[in-house]
Amino acid sequence: MIRKFYLLLSGIVFLSANAFSQGFPEGGQVHGDFVFDAQLYQTDEKLGITDSTLDGNIFGMNAYGNIIYTNGDFSAGLRYEAYLPPLSGFDKRYEGHGVPYWFARYDHDKVDITVGHFYEQFGNGLVLRSYQEWALGFDNNINGVRLKVQPFNGVYIKALAGTQRFFWDPFEDNNRAIIKGLDGEIYLNDLISKWRTSRTRIIIGGSFVSKYQQVTPRSFLRDTVRYEYKIPDNVAAYAGRINLLHGGFNLNAEYARKINDPSSLNNFIYKDGEALYTSISYSTSGFGIILTGKRIDNMSFKSDIYDDSYASDINFLPPLGTQYVYSLATMYPYATQPNGEIGVRGKIYYTIPKKSWLGGKYGTKFEFSYSRINSLDKERVEPNIPIDSTGTLGYKSNFTNFGDVEYYRDFAVKINKKINPKWKFILEYINLKYNIDVIEGHPGEPMVKAHIGIADVTYKINRKNAIRFEYQQLLSKQDRGEWLMAMLEYSISPRWFFSIMDEYNYGNPNEDMQLHYYTASVAYVKDATRVSLSYGRQREGLICVGGVCRMVPASNGLSISITSSF
Amino acid sequence: MRKAFFIITGILMVSALMAQNVKTIPSVEIRTLEGIPFNTNQIDNDGKPIIIAFWHLYCKPCIKELNNIAEVYDEWQAETGVKLYAVSVDNAKSQHQVMPFVRANSWPFEILSDPNYDFLHAMNRQFVPFTCIVNGEGKVVWFHESYHEGDEEYEYEIIKKLAAGEEIEEE
């Protein structure tokens, strides 16, 4: 059945592109893109990669091709993906090839209908976010129907129903939930004519999402007694949000709630879930400050209650820790703990004006950030029932209290300065604490405390040629100890790029692992095509984008990546 | 499955051969920095050239590109009337930091917000930085993925040609 759909849709796209496009009012357009990432692996005894661990898997490839046909208000498209086999670090369940995404869409004025697969987000995503992140191997597109309408000026309504992608598994036998969602958003300034010219702008919104997965009752053993529990088939989640803008002030707040949803991730407790995500900022020319607060309590919301991985996420819980961009600083990235966490973050941006004593000719840019995330303050529901006991309400927790367990803490300061048309630099210092036991699930390992220093210097030789140098050092007594990193980049605008890099784990407590991780890369860009080649060793690590992380094992070999669009 | 594979591969190849090199900006519903709905077909500059630059707050080359352009933007505007739309793909994690960041850096651009990559994907891209130049008739005449020091001067050469009414040669 599904195959028939692909063929039918492909046929429509093909025929329209070939035969009919001239006949349509504006003439159709076909465009698309493809990405090809491949890696050739080699043995590396020091990393423990031998012929027997490779076991013949010396090649990995992730690739896709996207084609979209548009004609006026109508569009249709599909994406073909191939993982033959998936690159190391990507989920093995991706192995294979096929068309996991196709759609047809009609979007005219105030009505927008999509059938097939689509991506969608309600508010901040606390109850629903469906998106694709190629670099992470994440795709939870929804296959179904979506309708967006604008019934009045300033009122936007979205409704959808469907099932999520889960690798290549077809939806069958209740293997995952059917999702239904409704979201409304009201722009009060557009709706209420008196407010149209007000300096204060207010947007309010609300969402409702329900998932339906038929689950057989389960039995649990506690204190030698066997209890039989019914697992709810329908689980509802809802959220309300506000965005208030007045001059330089901006307030964003969203609160979400989920009714009882026992799952393998929360150890089958029946507590309701909730999440609060709020931020307030003030900004003016040259200065900006933002404070963010977040509380997540048992708010994992998944398409399959038996799946613990990100792959079945319906919602998105944005992580709070500062996102870093330099390689050693990304060694300890924070990932949201869906079962519960509470945290705050503050960030200040300040530019010392141009032509002042400290600002120099070009101004000097500063950034300060601080974040702190702890466990929830949990109490037993009954004195004799341990916290998180299966089949109970799990725990009680005070809404505003920070728990005793520190999950993450960081402080960072960054200076970005252009000295003259040839030289510019960025300096950054980061101090962080990372609870590797909780975040990476390494029981008993001590809290990682690290200081990281970074210098990034660019020298522009002339209009086309530039050199960039990075030096980074990470000091820590825990985990893999001290690291340093040096990198030299040479670019010839707008086509060529060369770089050599070495990360050296000189302080690893295991002397055999005091290794150099060297990489040499070259890239060529022309218009919409980019080809890059790199050769070397890659350290084991977490790669995170947005809120999702994937563990990449150490490897050694040659990588090639091609991206192009037409 | 094998049949589907061949058919799709065939379609991809044929499409690539007959695809138009020039395309227009797709119509996608995104938002302004203030959270107001914005359809990308509203991207307009009264017949003068437009730059659309996709960026992310935590993308080093993106910030470098936009900082470099911000410094010369007055001059570019005076000479060619160009307008730059900086489309942030920051999701809920960093989206709310975009406004304080942009104002603290005094970026003079039109800022749009595309947190779920709807616009970026409709432009057939996955990664940032991605920059394209649109001519006065709304046709995308040049793309560039990635950013290296000095690329903005290359972009500006194209913008000057457009402003002078010259054709951009297909490469």
Side-chain angles (χ1 to χ4, degrees), chain A residues 3 7 10 14 17-18 28-33 64 67-68 80 98-99 120-121 124 129-134 156 185 187 201 203 243 245 247-248 250 252 277 279 281 283-288 290 316 318-319 321 323 325-326 345 347 349 351 362 365 367 418 424 458 460 463 466 468 470 491 493-495 497 525-528 530 546 563-566, chain B residues 1-5 7-12 14-16 18-20 22-24 26-29 31 33-37 39 56-60 63-64 67-68 70-71 91-101 103-107 115-118 121-127 130 139 142-146 148-154 157 171:
Chain A
R3 195 160 68 176
L7 292 178
S10 316
F14 185 73
N18 278 304
Q29 289 192 6
V30 177
H31 45 86
D33 61 316
Y64 76 80
I67 69 171
I68 299 173
Y80 166 79
V99 179
E120 183 55 77
Q121 174 173 337
N124 288 303
R129 183 176 183 217
S130 142
Y131 65 110
Q132 184 215 5
E133 196 83 69
W134 177 253
Y156 296 79
E185 200 159 58
Y187 292 72
R201 297 199 66 89
I203 306 167
N243 177 1
L245 195 73
N250 187 5
N252 277 284
Y277 189 67
S279 73
S281 71
S283 51
T284 177
S285 180
F287 175 79
I290 177 162
F316 175 69
Q323 190 173 336
V325 292
Y326 290 96
R345 176 178 64 204
K347 191 143 193 165
Y349 300 97
T351 304
Y362 299 94
K365 295 170 180 182
E367 277 180 46
K418 179 171 177 177
K424 60 182 94 171
T458 304
K460 193 170 173 184
R463 223 188 99 171
R468 195 169 76 85
E470 258 181 43
S491 60
S493 166
R495 301 261 182 269
F497 167 85
V525 188
K526 194 176 177 209
D527 305 325
R530 181 172 198 268
T563 66
S564 188
S565 78
F566 52 84
Chain B
M1 209 59 218
R2 181 177 277 192
K3 218 185 222 171
F5 172 75
I7 290 173
I8 288 153
T9 314
I11 291 175
L12 280 172
V14 172
S15 317
M18 42 170 274
Q20 294 86 340
V22 184
K23 61 178 175 182
T24 48
S27 151
V28 182
E29 194 73 35
R31 292 180 185 231
L33 186 58
E34 289 76 25
I36 297 156
N39 193 302
H56 188 278
L57 207 45
Y58 295 95
C59 153
K60 281 185 284 189
I63 302 297
K64 205 174 209 182
N67 273 335
N68 285 347
E71 269 172 26
N91 66 41
K93 182 179 176 183
S94 48
Q95 196 179 359
H96 306 304
Q97 294 168 31
V98 170
M99 189 187 288
F101 175 85
R103 289 192 178 157
N105 281 285
S106 307
W107 280 2
N116 241 10
Y117 314 118
D118 295 324
H121 287 175
M123 294 294 290
N124 300 308
R125 303 316 290 183
Q126 283 283 335
F127 310 108
F130 174 63
K139 297 261 159 52
W142 187 81
F143 315 110
H144 194 63
E145 186 173 294
S146 79
H148 301 119
E149 198 68 40
D151 284 357
E152 76 282 6
E153 296 179 38
Y154 189 86
E157 292 300 315
E171 291 187 77

Side-chain angles (χ1 to χ4, degrees), chain A residues 234-464:
Chain A
N234 281 292
V235 175
Y238 46 94
R241 60 184 185 269
I242 182 164
N243 177 1
L244 193 152
L245 195 73
H246 180 86
F249 287 98
N250 187 5
L251 169 79
N252 277 284
E254 182 164 12
Y255 175 76
R257 225 179 145 78
K258 181 190 72 162
I259 58 168
N260 65 69
D261 181 21
S263 69
S264 67
L265 192 72
N266 72 9
N267 202 30
F268 291 96
I269 63 168
Y270 282 72
K271 188 181 192 300
D272 284 4
E274 60 182 344
L276 176 70
Y277 189 67
T278 169
S279 73
I280 181 159
S281 71
Y282 173 75
S283 51
T284 177
S285 180
F287 175 79
I289 180 168
I290 177 162
L291 299 169
T292 308
K294 187 176 89 158
R295 186 179 189 281
I296 301 290
D297 185 350
N298 187 26
M299 198 54 195
S300 133
F301 192 40
K302 290 185 184 293
S303 257
D304 178 9
I305 63 160
Y306 297 111
D307 184 65
D308 287 350
S309 71
Y310 285 114
S312 59
D313 279 356
I314 298 171
N315 66 345
F316 175 69
L317 303 170
L320 204 56
T322 309
Q323 190 173 336
Y324 295 111
V325 292
Y326 290 96
S327 63
L328 293 186
T330 59
M331 187 132 17
Y332 299 110
Y334 185 71
T336 297
Q337 300 303 305
N339 283 343
E341 64 174 34
I342 180 165
V344 289
R345 176 178 64 204
K347 191 143 193 165
I348 295 172
Y349 300 97
Y350 176 60
T351 304
I352 301 179
K354 287 178 191 177
K355 298 185 179 103
S356 66
W357 181 65
L358 275 171
K361 193 176 170 193
Y362 299 94
T364 304
K365 295 170 180 182
F366 282 93
E367 277 180 46
F368 303 91
S369 61
Y370 171 78
S371 62
R372 173 178 181 224
I373 304 151
N374 278 33
S375 63
L376 294 179
D377 185 17
K378 292 183 179 178
E379 273 174 46
R380 292 182 171 208
V381 275
E382 296 284 344
N384 58 341
I385 300 176
I387 284 173
D388 284 338
S389 293
T390 294
T392 70
L393 287 174
Y395 56 88
K396 288 191 287 192
S397 77
N398 181 303
F399 195 82
T400 52
N401 282 10
F402 275 64
D404 294 333
V405 184
E406 281 189 326
Y407 285 172
Y408 185 80
R409 187 149 313 187
D410 69 357
F411 168 76
V413 53
K414 186 173 178 180
I415 303 166
N416 187 339
K417 172 84 190 146
K418 179 171 177 177
I419 303 170
N420 58 40
K422 294 220 174 275
W423 289 93
K424 60 182 94 171
F425 66 82
I426 296 170
L427 297 176
E428 188 168 16
Y429 166 75
I430 301 158
N431 179 334
L432 63 83
K433 277 167 96 176
Y434 178 84
N435 190 329
I436 196 165
D437 172 347
V438 172
I439 302 166
E440 292 186 23
H442 296 175
E445 268 190 48
M447 178 82 86
V448 176
K449 293 176 191 165
H451 299 268
I452 303 158
I454 295 155
D456 173 344
V457 181
T458 304
Y459 174 65
K460 193 170 173 184
I461 304 166
N462 55 35
R463 223 188 99 171
K464 283 179 170 259

Side-chain angles (χ1 to χ4, degrees), chain A residues 184-200:
Chain A
E185 200 159 58
I186 303 171
Y187 292 72
L188 295 178
N189 301 68
D190 292 339
L191 187 68
I192 303 164
S193 52
K194 266 191 221 162
W195 288 19
R196 205 147 286 172
T197 53
S198 167
R199 274 191 73 214
T200 308

